[in-house]
Amino acid sequence: MVRMFSAALRRSLFSATVLIATSFSALANELPVVKVGVLKFGTINWEMDVVKRHKLDEKAGFVLDITPLASKNASSVALQGDAVDVIFSDWVWVSRQRAAGKTYTLSPTSATAGGVYAASNLTLSSPCDISGETLGIAGGSVDKTWLLYQAYCEAKEDKAISELTEQQFVAPPLLNKLLMQNKVPLGINFWHYGARLKAAGFQPVISLDEIVEGLGINTQVPMLGWVFDEKWANANPSLVSAFLKTSEEARALLRASDDEWDVIRPLTKAENDDVFNALKAAYRSGFSGTFGDEQLKAAAQIFDILAKEGGPKLVGESTSLSDGTFWLQP
């Protein structure tokens, strides 16, 4: 009798579990979808993992559909071809697109930035004391850190750093390899590559934040964020708001929880504990928390410097920061 009752109870519990799971699955299928394109091996995948693992999207009333993309160019093509609703990019690109008649806009999220790094045995009297050296640069000739660094050295030390150094423009992972092999003594690289360099004993010469501050801009400005078409956003305000709040919730978990980092550690591809801890510290230090009129004014100042240094190759038809570049709605 007891066995029969236990078996019946187990069957009932199993049926209830299946029913609940099926209900949740059906609910998820009925939710609106936000299609997000992200670089296949980009650090933004850490945040995406947190969202999906905790089902933050479904709890917020939508389903996050993630499309891995091979390059930054592929991201912009996917957005422009309506293959995705949202990509992770920078506001200089957005301003350029708006100047060309597009209606893309950016919700700023990340102020994590790289800088200039040097071999530990290189003695420098100042951040611009690199005359005669070979400088490796990730991101190409219009890399924003490189352009701002040139402006900084011109303003602070009256040095035309591009004329006083030999530059090698290479991909970020190759640059780190060249630095590690002592084939170049100095490099400008993105923050997650910089974290690896610092963990390996390289000295940070100057960060992007310090460069910007040295140019008289005392407000930290997030350079990156979520980019989408404002027409899509205006047609789906609740969905956009839910997506942005979910993104912030995931970042908050990564800022506060070491357990979350233990879970995403394989995604970071950290070679050792030193690299892992450096990545975690750099990620957590890179969020300004707010974006308002002060940050908007600072972004316009940064844009003016970049436009002067990089010209049309970087900013296209933009002569100043385009109106509507930033999405400041909740």
Side-chain angles (χ1 to χ4, degrees):
M1 179 91 177
V2 173
R3 288 179 180 175
M4 291 177 60
F5 177 76
S6 297
L9 178 60
R10 284 197 298 271
R11 285 194 298 271
S12 297
L13 289 174
F14 176 77
S15 298
T17 301
V18 170
L19 180 61
I20 292 171
T22 302
S23 298
F24 274 119
S25 177
L27 177 62
N29 289 334
E30 295 174 0
L31 294 176
V33 175
V34 176
K35 297 177 290 183
V36 178
V38 297
L39 295 183
K40 193 172 184 179
F41 300 109
T43 58
I44 194 63
N45 287 287
W46 308 349
E47 180 183 316
M48 297 292 93
D49 180 79
V50 173
V51 171
K52 297 304 290 186
R53 187 158 33 83
H54 291 286
K55 298 186 183 300
L56 301 180
D57 52 343
E58 294 177 28
K59 293 175 183 176
F62 71 96
V63 173
L64 185 67
D65 182 8
I66 302 169
T67 300
L69 299 166
S71 66
K72 185 176 180 180
N73 286 341
S75 295
S76 60
V77 169
L79 181 64
Q80 293 177 80
D82 295 325
V84 297
D85 302 313
V86 187
I87 62 172
F88 196 69
S89 190
D90 67 88
W91 50 261
V92 176
W93 181 83
V94 172
S95 180
R96 175 175 182 155
Q97 295 301 311
R98 292 189 74 89
K102 303 292 185 180
T103 52
Y104 301 128
T105 188
L106 177 145
S107 177
T109 63
S110 176
T112 313
V116 184
Y117 305 89
S120 58
N121 60 356
L122 190 64
T123 302
L124 303 175
S125 62
S126 74
C128 304
D129 180 29
I130 63 171
S131 298
E133 300 288 356
T134 299
L135 178 64
I137 302 166
S141 61
V142 289
D143 172 74
K144 287 172 280 296
T145 302
W146 164 233
L147 295 176
L148 292 168
Y149 178 55
Q150 291 179 72
Y152 173 92
C153 290
E154 182 71 33
K156 303 294 283 188
E157 301 187 26
D158 194 27
K159 290 182 176 180
I161 211 70
S162 63
E163 298 175 8
L164 297 174
T165 61
E166 178 186 344
Q167 299 96 45
Q168 290 187 15
F169 299 99
V170 295
L174 178 57
L175 176 53
N176 266 28
K177 185 175 181 180
L178 292 173
L179 287 162
M180 299 283 190
Q181 294 176 346
N182 298 316
K183 292 182 178 178
V184 293
L186 293 145
I188 294 177
N189 216 336
F190 304 122
W191 73 268
H192 44 299
Y193 291 99
R196 285 176 160 82
L197 292 172
K198 286 192 283 186
F202 283 76
Q203 55 178 315
V205 176
I206 188 169
S207 69
L208 179 58
D209 284 342
E210 291 168 332
I211 291 171
V212 170
E213 185 177 355
L215 289 168
I217 302 167
N218 298 316
T219 299
Q220 187 187 48
V221 178
M223 295 300 294
L224 301 170
W226 293 115
V227 178
F228 42 85
D229 195 319
E230 67 178 14
K231 293 179 181 177
W232 172 76
N234 287 330
N236 302 278
S238 298
L239 185 58
V240 172
S241 179
F243 168 74
L244 295 177
K245 288 178 180 177
T246 296
S247 171
E248 168 53 31
E249 187 176 350
R251 292 195 303 277
L253 283 171
L254 288 172
R255 286 196 297 270
S257 172
D258 287 336
D259 290 341
E260 288 297 325
W261 281 90
D262 290 337
V263 175
I264 69 164
R265 179 164 180 161
L267 295 178
T268 71
K269 301 187 183 301
E271 297 84 349
N272 52 55
D273 288 343
D274 288 340
V275 170
F276 178 67
N277 291 327
L279 288 168
K280 188 196 307 185
Y283 180 93
R284 287 175 166 176
S285 69
F287 293 87
S288 61
T290 59
F291 194 98
D293 291 340
E294 187 178 357
Q295 288 74 25
L296 185 59
K297 180 180 177 181
Q301 292 175 288
I302 292 172
F303 185 92
D304 288 345
I305 297 170
L306 289 171
K308 178 182 177 181
E309 298 291 334
K313 186 176 180 180
L314 175 66
V315 301
E317 300 174 15
S318 300
T319 56
S320 60
L321 184 68
S322 299
D323 290 340
T325 292
F326 293 98
W327 177 265
L328 301 180
Q329 300 181 37

